[in-house]
Amino acid sequence: MSSLQNALEYYQALVGSEVGTSSWVTIDQPMVDRFAQCTGDAQWIHTDPGRATAETPFGGTIAHGFLTLSLASSFASECFQPRPGQVMGINYGLNKVRFITPVRVGARVRGKFALQGISVRSDTELLRETLLTVEIEGAEKPALVAEWLGISVFRD
C-alpha cells in the first residue's frame, strides 16, 4: 500500500473529530508592532496603547485579525505531524474566515483543529479540510473560526 493510501485511511478515520490543540501563545505589544510594521497596517487601535485605552471599548490595543490568523501555521505544526512518505505540506487557502472576538494585547491564544474532510487531489496529493478555532484564554467566544485547506504531498 502506498504512503498516500496509508495517510488517506489514517485521516478518513479522523474525519468529524478534533485532531489537536496547540500550546498557548501570548500576544504582546512587540509582536503586534512587528506585524504592523511588516504589513503596513499601523492603525492606532493596534499600535497606540494610550489612545486605544482612552478611545476604544477594548481597554487597550488589540491584535490585528490577520496576525491572529497568521499563527495558524504555527498552531498546525504542533497538531499535524507529517505522515510517513509525506514530503511537504502546502497551504491551499481558506473557504471561510470569521473574526469573532478581538484579541487584547496581553491575551493568550491557541489553535484547535477538527478534521472536516480528506480527499485525493492527485496521485501524490491529499486535500485536507480543517476547521480551525482560535481560542482566547478565559474568553467565552473564540477569536476566529476558519475553514482551512491544506495539501499533503507524498513521494514513495
Side-chain angles (χ1 to χ4, degrees):
M1 182 180 294
S2 72
S3 55
L4 182 138
Q5 188 62 38
N6 281 333
L8 176 63
E9 290 181 10
Y10 170 82
Y11 285 125
Q12 284 174 331
L14 295 175
V15 170
S17 65
E18 187 177 308
V19 293
T21 301
S22 74
S23 302
W24 291 105
V25 172
T26 301
I27 305 296
D28 60 19
Q29 192 63 54
M31 178 191 290
V32 172
D33 292 342
R34 288 190 307 271
F35 189 85
Q37 183 178 26
C38 178
T39 62
D41 181 358
Q43 186 180 23
W44 62 268
I45 64 172
H46 307 300
T47 61
D48 187 336
R51 186 174 177 192
T53 298
E55 298 181 33
T56 72
F58 309 122
T61 49
I62 59 171
H64 304 73
F66 285 122
L67 166 57
T68 307
L69 180 60
S70 74
L71 296 171
S73 293
S74 174
F75 295 152
S77 69
E78 286 188 50
C79 298
F80 290 97
Q81 299 304 312
R83 302 301 307 154
Q86 182 177 343
V87 295
M88 74 180 95
I90 301 169
N91 180 3
Y92 193 58
L94 301 154
N95 284 337
K96 182 178 179 181
V97 179
R98 294 294 180 262
F99 299 103
I100 298 169
T101 304
V103 177
R104 295 177 59 179
V105 168
R108 295 192 330 155
V109 296
R110 69 180 178 186
K112 185 177 283 191
F113 297 89
L115 188 61
Q116 294 183 304
I118 188 77
S119 59
V120 176
R121 189 167 184 269
S122 74
D123 61 348
T124 61
E125 298 175 346
L126 294 178
L127 177 63
R128 189 175 62 217
E129 300 171 47
T130 306
L131 178 65
L132 164 63
T133 303
V134 176
E135 300 177 319
I136 305 167
E137 187 176 40
E140 188 176 311
K141 295 180 181 178
L144 68 87
V145 293
E147 295 175 5
W148 190 15
L149 304 175
I151 297 172
S152 299
V153 180
F154 293 84
R155 185 177 305 138
D156 280 323

